[in-house]
Amino acid sequence: MASTQILSPGAAPDPVTGPVEEEPYYQNLSHYLPCHECKEYPPNIVEEFASGDTVCGSCGLVLEGRLIDTRSEWRTFSNDDQGNDDPSRVGDAANPLLNGSQLATTISYGDGGSGRSRELYRAQNKSTHDKSTKTLLEAYKMVGAFCDAINVPKTASDTAKSYFKIVEDAKAFKGKSQEAIIAGCIFIACRQNNVPRTFREIFALTKVPKKEIGRTFKALEKFFESKNQEKMAKLVQTGGYVNPDEGYNTTTSTKAQELCVRYCSQLGLTQACSLVSQQLADRMSTVGALAGRSPLSAAAACIYMISYLLKQGKTAKEISAVAGVSDGTIRTAYKRLYQEKEKLIDPSWIENGKGDIKLLPTS
């Protein structure tokens, strides 16, 4: 019931206050986006968030571009979450080279010297300390530094890290030094990725003795081969498809033609000289001119011969600095190639003045 107001002469009545009723919501249909081709009403509009376009669902005409996706960003990167019941809004994909959830919080202790943050940092570090993860991170750091030092591509570096993780997870090779295992993993990874390195180069890099690298390499080859056979056997038992190209493939010894590319690049020789050196190394193995020689000396002798044949002569001393063999060894191997030069040199290499067999040194 409204209250009665007593007013004096000339006074205005106070406004009546009460609950204000809100107007009901009505969709505003006065503005819409029509299709200029179909001219349908109501228009059949489709929002394609993948391409960021607003298109007509009837004729496909693009009506607007740069559509902003206002939907939720829930997504998951977990391999164990098959039902999509544990979404994660932000964050990168999980690193397969590390164990655990990898979602850790680090407390900084730069609080102006009060000491409270330092105590919290130590307590948090003790509670979340994982020895295996720390070992893996240290090993990955060494592998990355070694591979960068010898210009190994990232694919080979990642392969070496994955091999080390397999060994570490299996707790194999107890008693072996970590440096020897890392050296063996890098050596195998380089071969698997077709960028082979010699034992001598791995020794100069890691300071692990060549004999120890060789023993570790053979043990790792057997270990990875057995792991691969177990994996394939499980696939066969579960009815899966076995792809022969996947898994671990036993490596073969480094060939001379594989080393010619890298040595020619380091010597500053042309692409033509590199290709001909590889062809000579291949013909040499067929003829058997340097049977029993190491790939290092064979590759160095081929480059020595082709560099003079194609008028880009490099001395034995220059090649020895790159190949890591003595200049006397290169000359001795070259003498055997020179004796078989008629069988080894293809006439197409020197046609049209590209090369001259008379330029070959006798020793």
Side-chain angles (χ1 to χ4, degrees):
M1 183 176 180
S3 60
T4 303
Q5 298 183 9
I6 300 175
L7 302 176
S8 60
D14 296 334
V16 180
T17 58
V20 180
E21 295 183 0
E22 295 183 359
E23 295 183 0
Y25 171 76
Y26 295 101
Q27 186 177 3
N28 187 2
L29 300 178
S30 61
H31 299 282
Y32 65 94
L33 181 65
C35 176
H36 304 293
E37 292 290 335
C38 301
K39 298 181 180 179
E40 293 181 344
Y41 184 82
N44 182 18
I45 303 300
V46 178
E47 295 179 335
E48 293 186 351
F49 295 106
S51 59
D53 296 329
T54 303
V55 300
C56 176
S58 300
C59 66
L61 177 67
V62 178
L63 304 178
E64 287 185 348
R66 298 185 179 181
L67 176 65
I68 298 176
D69 190 355
T70 58
R71 299 176 299 174
S72 175
E73 299 175 1
W74 299 119
R75 60 191 304 190
T76 179
F77 294 103
S78 176
N79 294 328
D80 300 329
D81 179 26
Q82 302 297 332
N84 293 330
D85 57 351
D86 184 21
S88 301
R89 190 172 182 85
V90 293
D92 294 333
N95 188 352
L97 298 175
L98 296 176
N99 298 320
S101 62
Q102 305 171 24
L103 297 175
T105 301
T106 302
I107 299 176
S108 174
Y109 49 82
D111 58 346
S114 65
R116 183 61 60 85
S117 294
R118 184 182 294 271
E119 294 176 2
L120 290 174
Y121 170 79
R122 290 177 177 175
Q124 188 261 353
N125 193 28
K126 289 180 181 179
S127 62
T128 60
H129 179 70
D130 189 357
K131 187 176 180 181
S132 61
T133 302
K134 186 177 180 181
T135 303
L136 288 174
L137 289 174
E138 291 177 354
Y140 295 161
K141 187 177 180 180
M142 292 177 63
V143 171
F146 287 151
C147 291
D148 290 343
I150 56 176
N151 297 321
V152 170
K154 189 176 184 300
T155 53
S157 176
D158 292 341
T159 303
K161 293 176 183 178
S162 64
Y163 286 159
F164 183 85
K165 185 177 185 298
I166 294 173
V167 175
E168 183 67 20
D169 291 344
K171 303 299 179 184
F173 303 99
K174 289 185 177 180
K176 283 275 187 183
S177 67
Q178 188 182 55
E179 290 77 10
I181 296 176
I182 289 175
C185 290
I186 293 175
F187 184 81
I188 294 175
C190 290
R191 282 193 174 183
Q192 291 285 340
N193 288 273
N194 299 321
V195 284
R197 296 296 187 268
T198 62
F199 284 117
R200 188 173 299 175
E201 290 175 299
I202 302 297
F203 160 69
L205 179 69
T206 61
K207 305 305 179 184
V208 178
K210 287 185 287 186
K211 289 185 178 180
E212 182 65 22
I213 297 175
R215 286 193 293 264
T216 307
F217 159 69
K218 292 180 180 178
L220 287 172
E221 281 258 281
K222 293 180 180 179
F223 172 74
F224 292 139
E225 182 64 24
S226 63
K227 282 287 185 181
N228 187 52
Q229 291 178 357
E230 292 176 5
K231 180 180 178 181
M232 295 300 177
K234 288 181 180 179
L235 280 176
V236 172
Q237 291 176 0
T238 55
Y241 170 71
V242 178
N243 188 355
D245 296 332
E246 294 182 354
Y248 181 81
N249 297 320
T250 305
T251 59
T252 57
S253 59
T254 304
K255 298 178 181 179
Q257 52 264 39
E258 296 174 344
L259 300 173
C260 287
V261 182
R262 185 154 48 91
Y263 291 166
C264 288
S265 176
Q266 294 176 359
L267 288 167
L269 297 174
T270 61
Q271 182 70 18
C273 188
S274 176
L275 292 174
V276 175
S277 298
Q278 294 178 68
Q279 295 174 12
L280 176 60
D282 190 26
R283 294 169 70 96
M284 172 201 67
S285 59
T286 304
V287 175
L290 292 180
R293 290 276 181 175
S294 70
L296 294 173
S297 58
C302 291
I303 294 173
Y304 182 71
M305 185 176 195
I306 295 302
S307 66
Y308 280 97
L309 182 68
L310 299 184
K311 307 173 184 179
Q312 304 176 36
K314 295 290 182 180
T315 63
K317 192 171 184 180
E318 290 177 297
I319 299 175
S320 67
V322 172
V325 293
S326 64
D327 52 349
T329 304
I330 296 175
R331 289 193 181 94
T332 303
Y334 168 74
K335 288 179 181 179
R336 299 183 62 178
L337 292 180
Y338 186 78
Q339 294 172 0
E340 303 287 343
K341 63 180 183 298
E342 301 297 336
K343 298 179 181 179
L344 294 174
I345 297 178
D346 192 335
S348 63
W349 298 347
I350 56 177
E351 63 183 5
N352 299 326
K354 291 186 293 185
D356 189 357
I357 198 172
K358 296 180 182 179
L359 297 176
L360 292 176
T362 57
S363 60

